[in-house]
Amino acid sequence: MEIVVASGNRGKIREFTQILECPSFLVRPMSELGIPEPEETGSTFEENALLKARTASRHANLPTIADDSGLSVDCLDGAPGVYSARYAGLHATDHQNVKKLLNEMNGVDQSSRRARFHCVIAVVRHFEDEQPLIFSDSWQGEIATTPSGENGFGYDPVFYLPEYRCTAAQLKPEIKNRISHRAKALEQFKAKLHHTDILATSSGQNTRA
């Protein structure tokens, strides 16, 4: 069975494809189908994930999976949050977003730099699906004072993991794809797949972690 990934972010698509590697379905990035990205107008990660999933499903007429994820920093009262991808502006690059984050946190003591990544996964069997499947998880860390590492994307170069003594961008992809917020949320989806044919029915129940 085909499933569309509703994202235009190459890093996310790469992680989706690697983590969701499964013989039971074929992962199709929405770019392959010429589907435009919708404007993220939701006020929560769940609202945006559902918006993206329904929009892509309507265009493709296929089951669709989407995520909305972002970084929440304690000393910034949870910012950048749902605005993580556009923290430095609507078309900001990863570098610009990281630079703004570090500027906002200039002078903050390391003990006060706690942060976490959040990820919400939404799965719809069709765009009018009244019982979408929702999976969520988070990843605890700290914000480093300078970027390090070449792997990953987004804020990975400054998301420091004390237990690994490195940033998310310094982790090997196979490790990140086992412990990250997105990996853990997608594993919930995969576990659900193992127990029921959720993509072939319209009677699934909402699932939250």
Side-chain angles (χ1 to χ4, degrees):
M1 179 176 289
E2 293 179 286
I3 184 168
V4 177
V5 175
S7 177
N9 184 304
R10 293 181 180 179
K12 285 187 180 183
I13 291 171
R14 182 172 59 251
E15 290 185 3
F16 265 90
T17 302
Q18 292 170 344
I19 297 168
L20 289 179
E21 186 176 5
C22 178
S24 62
F25 55 82
L26 174 65
V27 175
R28 298 284 304 277
M30 70 181 196
S31 58
E32 287 186 3
L33 305 172
I35 302 171
E37 285 195 78
E39 182 180 355
E40 296 181 12
T41 57
S43 60
T44 65
F45 294 121
E46 183 173 326
E47 288 177 0
N48 282 331
L50 279 169
L51 171 66
K52 290 185 278 189
R54 293 192 190 282
T55 299
S57 184
R58 183 174 64 248
H59 281 275
N61 196 30
L62 287 168
T64 301
I65 184 169
D67 96 316
D68 196 52
S69 52
L71 180 70
S72 175
V73 181
D74 288 357
C75 70
L76 298 180
D77 296 324
V82 295
Y83 303 104
S84 293
R86 50 193 188 279
Y87 192 40
L90 185 58
H91 302 292
T93 64
D94 289 349
H95 174 75
Q96 290 169 332
N97 285 328
V98 167
K99 183 179 180 180
K100 178 176 180 178
L101 176 67
L102 294 181
N103 286 340
E104 293 285 340
M105 297 182 67
N106 185 38
V108 175
D109 186 80
Q110 192 62 44
S111 63
S112 301
R113 301 175 75 91
R114 290 183 299 274
R116 65 201 50 81
F117 275 126
H118 297 282
C119 176
V120 176
I121 300 289
V123 183
V124 297
R125 286 146 286 229
H126 51 83
F127 78 93
E128 294 181 320
D129 193 342
E130 295 182 355
Q131 293 182 309
L133 292 145
I134 305 295
F135 308 91
S136 63
D137 221 307
S138 61
W139 194 15
Q140 305 293 323
E142 303 172 357
I143 302 302
T145 55
T146 56
S148 298
E150 301 296 328
N151 297 325
F153 60 96
Y155 297 92
D156 285 355
V158 292
F159 191 70
Y160 183 75
L161 304 162
E163 64 271 39
Y164 288 89
R165 297 183 179 180
C166 68
T167 68
Q170 292 173 303
L171 288 175
K172 293 181 179 179
E174 57 267 28
I175 296 177
K176 184 189 178 188
N177 290 341
R178 189 175 69 246
I179 66 174
S180 76
H181 53 312
R182 186 169 298 106
K184 290 183 286 188
L186 286 173
E187 285 299 329
Q188 293 176 44
F189 169 58
K190 288 176 67 175
K192 189 80 171 178
L193 277 179
H194 288 316
H195 289 90
T196 180
D197 194 4
I198 57 173
L199 297 182
T201 179
S202 59
S203 59
Q205 296 297 315
N206 282 15
T207 301
R208 288 178 172 80

